[in-house]
Amino acid sequence: MTQLWDFSGGIHPPEHKAISNTRPIRSASVPDYLVLPLQQHIGEPAEAIVEVGERVLKGQKIADVKTGMGVPVHAPTSGVIESIADLPVPHPSGMTDRCITLKPDGEDQWCQRNPVKDYRSLERDQALQIIRDAGISGMGGAGFPTNIKLRPPRDRKVSTLILNGAECEPYITADDMTMREKADEVVAGLKIMAWILRPERCVIGIEDNKPEAIAALQKATEGTQTEIAVIPTKYPSGGEKQLIQILTGMEVPSGGIPADIGVMCQNIGTAVAVAKAVFEGTPLISRVVTITGEAVREPGNFEALIGTPIEHLLEQAGVNQNAVSRLVLGGPMMGYTLTTEAVPVIKTTNCVIAATAAELPAPPPEQPCIRCGQCAEACPMELLPQQLFWHAKATEFEKAEHLNLFDCIECGACSYVCPSSIPLVQYYRFAKGEIRAQQAEQLKADRARERFEARQARLEREQQEKELRRQERAKAAADAAAKKQAEAEKAAAEGDAGDERAAKAALVEQALARKKAKAEASRPPAPSEPPAEEKPDIEALEKQLSQAQSKLETMQGMLDDAKAQQADNVEKLERAVAKNHDRVKRAEEALAEARQQLAAGPTESQPTH
């Protein structure tokens, strides 16, 4: 017999399971339309890969996650894509999200399927890919993608695989009826997951208030090493961490996951979905949903297509709308009130309670805490609900987080026993949401700061590189100037400098002579004698031209050196070269004009009348 342990706290609320577990599972009819949210699991939302007006087949992939963690969405029946728009989805906030609306055509025509007869002939990665392509995520709890959960880190060997059949929350009987009627499929799915993980121990945990399910699974596991562990009925024994503690005696560390202690939990519905995906090639397009409560005439469990509106299932169960006071999705402890019946069944939907006013009365008004400590005694995680409540109410989120707020599984045991009717779980959810929002903002700010610092570093690096290039150009220019200075000193030592000074002096004298001649020419000549005609100084003009050409060559050489070294004074030297070009041109024109004048000789003055 399997050894069992116990966990701290826990409560025993009325079960109300007999309302829905006396009838076999019924197949819900196909509704007029199916609403398929693109976000049905933890991870990235899927993206539609079909278009409005397109006809799809049953089992066809219509949305997929291209990057990140997630699984695809499939068409539950054949039909036409009617719209891709934001519609109400199952969520405590009553939010809308992106959904694909499929209008069934009544033909229920399947796409091609690829069943596998012997999964042991596959590689493990191939089996995991089949599970992923079938769109299977956890069908209890938050809906973690099953293929990723079945691929733990290499340093975390799974020694115990647990199938969670406790189903401890009141009213819900979907897993109970699945184990009764589909025990062989449950065990088949468990065998596939065990083949992938290779654990040392496989165990199915079932509460002792499910004798028919226990008998069915014991029969299905005859001749195998799978253990059927019958555990005491106590809420929340179906919580993952609590069930692990009951069956192994080990506790999952704070902030950790079961794989940290070599354990993995899977849901009953998930095991059935895995078996169908491998042996039938059928993706996850339907699930068992409990429709219960005193406001329905024929409560029970329905095999419903994913995307079926809740209102359609309520009609199947014979709901009395006048008697419905409150519509709860999930159980009364961890579920939430629906604001509309138009929300669809998704992969994690396990129960809908159509309750009368007497069945689930409105909670009394919140009263001040009397510090009785009953919440701490009921907490299965051994937290301090009273202190967490104070910190959450005072928005002291850091203190609440320090008291392991995120270890709270939101089971509602503390709220159930509180004599002051304080909705403690609501305060914890609020605090968690605020902390996550702050962490997201902090992450966003950190990324912005990293981008800013990277930009500043890049600008500083570019500035340093620019300064280094400027210094190199300055050094090259200084070297060129030193070289020119050395050449000038050498030329001066050889006497060239004296000639240059003499040439400059001659140019000055010529300029003065031209100015004087121009001044004399501007004066009117004496009437008695004609103005004397000045002879041009050909030798001086030739020397002037030679000096201008020599200076042009020198400046051109300096410009070529500066361009080669990418010096800062390139533009200045280009202007100097252009200026010297003009000087050479003017000198050439002056020399040519003087030579023409000499060749023509003195002109005879014409008599005047």
Side-chain angles (χ1 to χ4, degrees), residues 376-388:
E377 293 177 4
C379 179
M381 295 302 297
E382 299 184 84
L383 301 177
L384 299 172
Q386 188 178 353
Q387 284 84 344
L388 289 173

Side-chain angles (χ1 to χ4, degrees), residues 291-516:
I291 305 296
T292 184
E294 294 180 1
V296 292
R297 292 187 298 274
E298 298 178 2
N301 288 275
F302 293 84
E303 183 79 35
L305 296 178
I306 302 295
T308 300
I310 296 298
E311 58 187 349
H312 182 78
L313 288 182
L314 291 172
E315 291 173 3
Q316 300 272 293
V319 65
N320 181 1
Q321 292 290 356
N322 295 326
V324 177
S325 170
R326 185 178 170 197
L327 203 61
V328 177
L329 186 66
M333 303 299 295
M334 299 184 69
Y336 53 88
T337 301
L338 288 176
T339 56
T340 174
E341 298 177 358
V343 298
V345 170
I346 61 174
K347 297 175 183 180
T348 56
T349 303
N350 59 356
C351 180
V352 178
I353 305 173
T356 61
E359 187 178 13
L360 289 180
E366 176 182 338
Q367 299 179 34
C369 174
I370 60 173
R371 298 190 172 107
C372 64
Q374 291 187 42
C375 54
E377 293 177 4
C379 179
M381 295 302 297
E382 299 184 84
L383 301 177
L384 299 172
Q386 188 178 353
Q387 284 84 344
L388 289 173
F389 160 64
W390 289 335
H391 293 319
K393 191 171 184 178
T395 66
E396 297 173 342
F397 302 129
E398 187 175 347
K399 293 181 180 179
E401 192 173 5
H402 183 69
L403 291 175
N404 300 320
L405 170 67
F406 282 92
D407 282 348
C408 171
I409 61 174
E410 301 178 17
C411 65
C414 54
S415 301
Y416 183 81
V417 300
C418 180
S420 297
S421 302
I422 301 173
L424 295 168
V425 173
Q426 304 306 323
Y427 283 101
Y428 306 153
R429 285 175 178 168
F430 161 72
K432 287 180 181 180
E434 289 298 310
I435 291 171
R436 291 189 183 102
Q438 290 176 5
Q439 289 174 343
E441 287 296 321
Q442 184 62 44
L443 180 61
K444 185 178 178 181
D446 290 344
R447 288 176 177 172
R449 187 186 68 252
E450 290 172 1
R451 291 196 302 271
F452 174 77
E453 291 174 351
R455 179 178 180 274
Q456 290 298 108
R458 177 176 56 80
L459 293 176
E460 289 177 6
R461 185 172 61 253
E462 292 176 353
Q463 185 64 29
Q464 291 173 358
E465 292 173 354
K466 185 177 180 181
E467 178 64 21
L468 182 61
R469 289 195 299 270
R470 189 195 67 76
Q471 292 176 359
E472 290 175 351
R473 291 196 299 268
K475 183 177 181 300
D479 292 344
K483 181 180 178 182
K484 294 296 181 183
Q485 182 66 27
E487 291 176 353
E489 290 175 356
K490 182 178 179 182
E494 294 175 356
D496 293 344
D499 295 340
E500 187 174 349
R501 285 195 296 274
K504 289 181 178 178
L507 287 173
V508 171
E509 291 177 1
Q510 291 173 13
L512 291 173
R514 287 195 301 275
K515 185 175 182 182
K516 183 177 179 182

Side-chain angles (χ1 to χ4, degrees), residues 52-381:
V52 175
E54 182 177 344
R55 183 177 185 271
V56 296
L57 301 177
K58 184 175 183 177
Q60 179 181 332
K61 189 184 298 183
I62 59 175
D64 203 353
V65 178
K66 298 178 181 177
T67 58
M69 182 179 71
V71 293
V73 178
H74 300 79
T77 186
S78 59
V80 177
I81 303 299
E82 193 172 76
S83 70
I84 303 174
D86 289 340
L87 297 171
V89 296
H91 195 272
S93 66
M95 64 181 286
T96 62
D97 202 0
R98 208 70 177 164
C99 300
I100 297 175
T101 302
L102 172 65
K103 186 173 181 58
D105 58 11
E107 297 182 14
D108 207 35
Q109 183 180 355
W110 273 98
C111 66
Q112 182 179 353
R113 289 181 285 176
N114 299 298
V116 176
K117 292 182 179 179
D118 182 11
Y119 60 87
R120 292 181 179 84
S121 64
L122 301 173
E123 297 288 336
R124 284 179 175 77
D125 286 343
Q126 290 177 308
L128 289 170
Q129 189 63 39
I130 290 173
I131 293 171
R132 190 263 175 200
D133 289 342
I136 301 175
S137 58
M139 296 172 68
F144 198 86
T146 303
N147 66 300
I148 295 177
K149 194 170 182 179
L150 289 173
R151 197 195 299 268
R154 292 183 180 275
D155 59 342
R156 296 176 182 174
K157 174 72 171 71
V158 173
S159 58
T160 303
L161 175 60
I162 297 174
L163 208 56
N164 188 347
E167 199 170 46
C168 59
E169 189 156 2
Y171 284 94
I172 308 174
T173 59
D175 286 350
D176 181 9
M177 297 307 298
T178 300
M179 290 185 286
R180 294 189 199 184
E181 299 185 16
K182 302 181 181 182
D184 290 337
E185 293 180 51
V186 171
V187 174
L190 175 62
K191 287 180 179 179
I192 294 171
M193 293 187 284
W195 174 77
I196 293 173
L197 294 170
R198 297 295 174 90
E200 298 170 5
R201 178 190 181 201
C202 290
V203 56
I204 304 176
I206 313 175
E207 281 191 333
D208 56 13
N209 61 354
K210 304 174 180 61
E212 294 89 346
I214 294 169
L217 284 175
Q218 285 176 338
K219 182 178 180 181
T221 56
E222 286 179 357
T224 70
Q225 295 181 344
T226 301
E227 304 173 32
I228 305 298
V230 181
I231 64 176
T233 298
K234 180 182 176 183
Y235 180 82
S237 61
E240 184 178 59
K241 295 179 180 180
Q242 284 67 45
L243 186 60
I244 289 172
Q245 190 170 353
I246 291 171
L247 297 178
T248 68
M250 296 186 292
E251 294 186 30
V252 178
S254 176
I257 59 175
D260 294 336
I261 57 174
V263 182
M264 181 177 294
C265 276
Q266 293 287 354
N267 178 263
I268 292 295
T270 306
V272 174
V274 168
K276 286 185 176 181
V278 174
F279 293 119
E280 300 177 11
T282 302
L284 179 52
I285 56 174
S286 68
R287 67 155 299 143
V288 178
V289 182
T290 302
I291 305 296
T292 184
E294 294 180 1
V296 292
R297 292 187 298 274
E298 298 178 2
N301 288 275
F302 293 84
E303 183 79 35
L305 296 178
I306 302 295
T308 300
I310 296 298
E311 58 187 349
H312 182 78
L313 288 182
L314 291 172
E315 291 173 3
Q316 300 272 293
V319 65
N320 181 1
Q321 292 290 356
N322 295 326
V324 177
S325 170
R326 185 178 170 197
L327 203 61
V328 177
L329 186 66
M333 303 299 295
M334 299 184 69
Y336 53 88
T337 301
L338 288 176
T339 56
T340 174
E341 298 177 358
V343 298
V345 170
I346 61 174
K347 297 175 183 180
T348 56
T349 303
N350 59 356
C351 180
V352 178
I353 305 173
T356 61
E359 187 178 13
L360 289 180
E366 176 182 338
Q367 299 179 34
C369 174
I370 60 173
R371 298 190 172 107
C372 64
Q374 291 187 42
C375 54
E377 293 177 4
C379 179
M381 295 302 297

